[in-house]
Amino acid sequence: MTTFRNLILASCCLALVATGESTAQSSKKKAKAAREAAAAPVQQQTPAPSAHDRQMSEALFLDGMKYFMLEDYQQALQLFQKAYTITPNNAALNYKIGETYLQLKESASAMPFAQAAVKLEKKNAYYYLLLAQLHSEQKQYDAAAQAFNDLLQNVPNSDEYLFNLADLYLAQSQYDNALRTYDRIEKQFGDMEQLHVNRQQIYLRQKKVDKAIAEGELLLKTNPTEINYYLAQAELYNAIQRTDEAIATLNKALKVEPNNPFAHLMLSDLSRQKGDIATSNKEVKLAFANPQLDIDTKVRILVDFIRQLPNPQIESVALELVDLTIQNHPSEAKAYAVAGDLQTIVGKKEAARDNYIKAVALDNSHFKIWQQIVLLDAELEQPEALVKHAEQALELFPNQAVFWFYSGTGHLITKNFEKAVKSLEYGKRLSGSEPALVTQFNMQLGDGYNSLKEYKKSDAAYEEVLAVDANNEHVLNNYSYFLSLRNEKLDRAKEMSERLVKLHPNNPTYLDTYAWVLYKSGNYTEARKYLEQAVAISDDATLVEHYGDVLYKLGKHEEAVSQWQKAKLKGEASAFIDRKIKDKKLYE
């Protein structure tokens, strides 16, 4: 009997494991074969079970169903298998064993039981459905389709499963079979909207655009108020460059739903394709004015505009669109963020910065937006705002060195030098893996420590920059100038400032620095030459005052006073300027 055979196979497997003899080398393959043989139903001619046997089998089956419903599939399977040893030719029992194996994700073990169920009872739709599912899971799609076809042939009133068969064909890209199945469905159930939709999708995949359009026209004819069909049809016309028909279809859509934002967007695109920029701009603004157009769609469109900037032809409409986006989505952080992005590119930096601030007020989790805020604070030369926003960002991102840099820079500009170097040193420690950022910190630390008169630290920071960037403009200029003011290392100061002037011969600030180093070295004639070049380019008060100082050293006292007077008119001269003019004497 089957039960006895199963027990023998199981015993053999256990024996092989227990003994560990040489035959165990192939135990995995044999054990697998044994399990499959034990699991597989063996249909044979057996005497009909007695009433007692049937009752016992039914009791085991019912107990198994309890465990099945509790999702204890292993226990359920054991009980079903015990029942199976008594009534192996019970179709429902074979089906349930197959279904349990399926729940245990053992499709291969389930297959023979599903096949047996179908063989034993040909008019139960559920048995065919299980068989089709098992074939599909094992990628046996032709066999799955055959299972559905057998179902449709053998089970009365089963035409509803034509939809399952069509879906199977569609999933496997068997488009012609799917289309034939749709014809069968239509013959059985009559004209159906979904059939036209499905056919249209198949025709599109087959690149049969004319047929897809024909299906779309049928959909519009039978569903004249469904706006999505108009939009889809317009897209099809546009895809084959029948732009005028696409526009006509969209105009029909707007008669049905005048404020539909997607119709307006498509009209905008089509009008732009035809070169009608005025209509295009009008339509896109109508779409953006509609709060039903979701924020994500608006952001995607604005990003497309941003990619085209700077472009004077679209700048004004782009700015209007960001205003409309904010107006219709005042609680969306991304509305303000994308406005800031666009305004930054077109040079509206203060408006951009303010919109970024509104964005982080709604959602403060975006590092890049905070970074944009402090960058714009720096570009707008608003150091107090720079310090404030950098420190707000540090509360959220304390390990981001860039915010320590801007905090330190802001404090440096506002002459809060102690806080500046503290922030800069901390940020520098965080930047060890980013040499370029370390250089930026050292540049600022050189300035900060110089202002604190901690000259050794200042010089060390500057030298660290020059070790990796010998032509760094900021350091060459400031380091050489500060050395000249201290009357220290004047040869080093001269070497740096001379190199800077050679690199940038028309920069008045650098010419002034070099002239001042020469002045401090007592080379007044050379200093005059370079200062004359500088004042010819710029009338900066410091340059003019330095020029007067050099003239005084060269004995040209009246000319010197004249230059000092010019410097004073600028209002940015040194603290000695009034005494110089009054006493007609050089003070340093």
Side-chain angles (χ1 to χ4, degrees):
M1 293 178 60
T2 303
T3 304
F4 184 65
R5 177 174 177 273
N6 290 349
L7 290 171
I8 290 174
L9 286 168
S11 299
C12 287
C13 292
L14 290 171
L16 284 170
V17 171
T19 60
E21 296 175 357
S22 61
T23 53
Q25 297 300 319
S26 60
S27 62
K28 289 184 178 180
K29 291 183 178 178
K30 290 182 177 180
K32 181 178 179 183
R35 285 196 301 273
E36 291 176 352
V42 180
Q43 302 301 321
Q44 56 186 2
Q45 295 295 326
T46 57
S50 66
H52 177 268
D53 287 342
R54 285 198 303 273
Q55 289 177 352
M56 184 179 296
S57 177
E58 289 174 6
L60 289 167
F61 180 81
L62 291 173
D63 286 342
M65 285 299 299
K66 293 175 185 176
Y67 284 105
F68 187 91
M69 294 175 69
L70 293 170
E71 300 183 4
D72 185 348
Y73 299 118
Q74 288 288 0
Q75 186 63 36
L77 182 61
Q78 290 180 24
L79 291 165
F80 291 148
Q81 287 174 329
K82 287 180 181 179
Y84 178 83
T85 62
I86 302 170
T87 55
N89 294 329
N90 184 299
L93 182 55
N94 276 276
Y95 166 75
K96 208 64 194 178
I97 293 173
E99 188 179 25
T100 306
Y101 272 124
L102 177 63
Q103 293 294 338
L104 292 169
K105 303 187 185 307
E106 297 183 34
S107 298
S109 297
M111 181 67 75
F113 292 98
Q115 290 171 329
V118 167
K119 185 176 180 180
L120 290 164
E121 175 53 70
K122 297 187 184 299
K123 297 193 181 296
N124 190 310
Y126 292 106
Y127 300 172
Y128 292 99
L129 294 175
L130 175 62
L131 184 59
Q133 183 177 356
L134 292 171
H135 281 305
S136 294
E137 292 204 356
Q138 296 182 72
K139 303 188 186 311
Q140 299 166 354
Y141 300 114
D142 289 341
Q146 186 58 52
F148 277 116
N149 279 310
D150 290 343
L151 185 162
L152 291 161
Q153 180 179 346
N154 295 323
V155 180
N157 303 315
S158 58
D159 291 327
E160 62 190 278
Y161 296 110
L162 283 167
F163 294 95
N164 301 70
L165 179 59
D167 289 343
L168 179 64
Y169 284 137
L170 191 60
Q172 298 312 309
S173 301
Q174 295 186 29
Y175 299 132
D176 290 337
N177 283 335
L179 288 169
R180 281 192 287 270
T181 305
Y182 291 143
D183 290 341
R184 291 173 65 185
I185 292 171
E186 192 169 61
K187 184 177 180 181
Q188 183 64 31
F189 296 101
D191 187 47
M192 300 176 68
E193 180 180 343
Q194 191 60 42
L195 293 180
H196 294 296
V197 172
N198 292 354
R199 284 188 182 116
Q200 187 179 55
Q201 292 302 311
I202 288 175
Y203 289 138
L204 287 173
R205 293 178 189 180
Q206 293 179 321
K207 302 189 184 307
K208 298 177 180 178
V209 180
D210 288 339
K211 287 190 174 183
I213 287 176
E215 291 293 337
E217 292 297 338
L218 286 172
L219 281 168
L220 289 174
K221 183 177 180 180
T222 54
N223 302 275
T225 61
E226 179 50 65
I227 195 74
N228 289 326
Y229 292 154
Y230 288 99
L231 299 178
Q233 194 73 348
E235 286 181 355
L236 288 177
Y237 280 127
N238 186 42
I240 58 174
Q241 299 182 335
R242 288 160 63 173
T243 307
D244 290 338
E245 288 169 273
I247 290 173
T249 302
L250 290 169
N251 285 326
K252 290 178 184 177
L254 289 171
K255 289 181 180 178
V256 175
E257 194 175 313
N259 294 322
N260 185 277
F262 298 102
H264 286 298
L265 281 179
M266 289 181 69
L267 274 176
S268 175
D269 288 341
L270 293 169
S271 298
R272 190 170 294 275
Q273 287 177 31
K274 296 190 72 175
D276 187 352
I277 304 302
T279 300
S280 176
N281 291 344
K282 182 191 80 171
E283 293 294 337
V284 74
K285 284 188 278 187
L286 285 170
F288 269 66
N290 191 334
Q292 292 179 2
L293 183 63
D294 62 282
I295 181 66
D296 290 327
T297 298
K298 289 176 179 174
V299 168
R300 283 196 298 273
I301 294 168
L302 288 169
V303 168
D304 286 338
F305 273 96
I306 288 170
R307 288 176 181 146
Q308 298 174 60
L309 293 172
N311 181 344
Q313 291 185 337
I314 65 171
E315 182 178 313
S316 61
V317 69
L319 289 169
E320 285 187 65
L321 294 180
V322 295
D323 289 342
L324 286 168
T325 302
I326 291 171
Q327 179 183 325
N328 285 285
H329 305 277
S331 301
E332 289 280 359
K334 61 186 72 175
Y336 299 98
V338 75
D341 291 345
L342 195 148
Q343 289 163 337
T344 298
I345 293 173
V346 301
K348 295 185 176 296
K349 295 180 180 180
E350 191 154 7
R353 192 271 312 273
D354 293 346
N355 275 320
Y356 284 135
I357 291 171
K358 291 174 183 176
V360 296
L362 292 165
D363 179 0
N364 64 9
S365 65
H366 295 282
F367 165 80
K368 288 186 177 180
I369 297 179
W370 282 106
Q371 190 174 31
Q372 284 295 100
I373 290 171
V374 294
L375 281 169
L376 287 168
D377 285 335
E379 290 181 19
L380 290 166
E381 298 182 359
Q382 297 180 5
E384 292 83 3
L386 177 60
V387 170
K388 174 185 174 183
H389 295 138
E391 294 187 351
Q392 286 176 341
L394 283 169
E395 292 178 9
L396 299 163
F397 308 100
N399 295 322
Q400 290 293 335
V402 66
F403 295 127
W404 290 104
F405 176 81
Y406 281 108
S407 171
T409 299
H411 284 305
L412 196 61
I413 296 169
T414 55
K415 303 186 184 307
N416 195 338
F417 303 120
E418 292 284 356
K419 284 188 176 182
V421 297
K422 185 176 180 180
S423 292
L424 292 166
E425 286 287 9
Y426 191 86
K428 179 182 173 181
R429 287 196 293 274
L430 292 174
S431 307
S433 62
E434 300 179 67
L437 192 52
V438 171
T439 295
Q440 294 295 315
F441 276 106
N442 280 323
M443 286 166 54
Q444 302 295 65
L445 282 167
D447 294 350
Y449 281 124
N450 181 78
S451 297
L452 290 171
K453 297 183 172 27
E454 295 188 44
Y455 300 129
K456 286 186 178 180
K457 289 184 178 180
S458 173
D459 292 356
Y462 286 143
E463 291 291 354
E464 196 172 332
V465 174
L466 294 175
V468 295
D469 182 7
N471 294 324
N472 186 286
E473 296 177 43
H474 178 90
V475 172
L476 289 175
N477 182 70
N478 286 19
Y479 190 15
S480 59
Y481 185 67
F482 292 149
L483 287 174
S484 72
L485 292 178
R486 287 154 44 192
N487 282 315
E488 293 180 9
K489 305 177 187 176
L490 291 178
D491 287 342
R492 175 69 168 142
K494 182 175 181 294
E495 180 268 322
M496 289 189 291
S497 57
E498 186 176 23
R499 187 192 322 163
L500 187 60
V501 166
K502 286 180 179 177
L503 290 169
H504 305 280
N506 296 314
N507 186 301
T509 300
Y510 300 162
L511 289 166
D512 173 62
T513 297
Y514 183 44
W516 197 246
V517 172
L518 292 170
Y519 173 88
K520 286 288 188 173
S521 302
N523 193 342
Y524 305 124
T525 301
E526 281 293 296
R528 176 183 180 179
K529 183 177 77 171
Y530 284 98
L531 278 168
E532 284 177 345
Q533 292 179 40
V535 297
I537 301 169
S538 170
D539 61 353
D540 178 83
T542 301
L543 273 65
V544 174
E545 185 177 358
H546 283 173
Y547 184 40
D549 294 350
V550 169
L551 290 172
Y552 189 90
K553 287 287 188 181
L554 290 170
K556 299 181 180 295
H557 296 174
E558 292 301 323
E559 291 181 42
V561 172
S562 176
Q563 294 300 321
W564 290 338
Q565 289 172 335
K566 288 180 182 179
K568 181 178 178 177
L569 290 174
K570 297 292 180 184
E572 300 170 359
S574 73
F576 297 111
I577 194 68
D578 289 332
R579 291 178 64 191
K580 289 178 180 180
I581 294 169
K582 180 181 178 183
D583 298 341
K584 297 184 178 181
K585 184 178 178 181
L586 177 63
Y587 292 97
E588 296 182 286

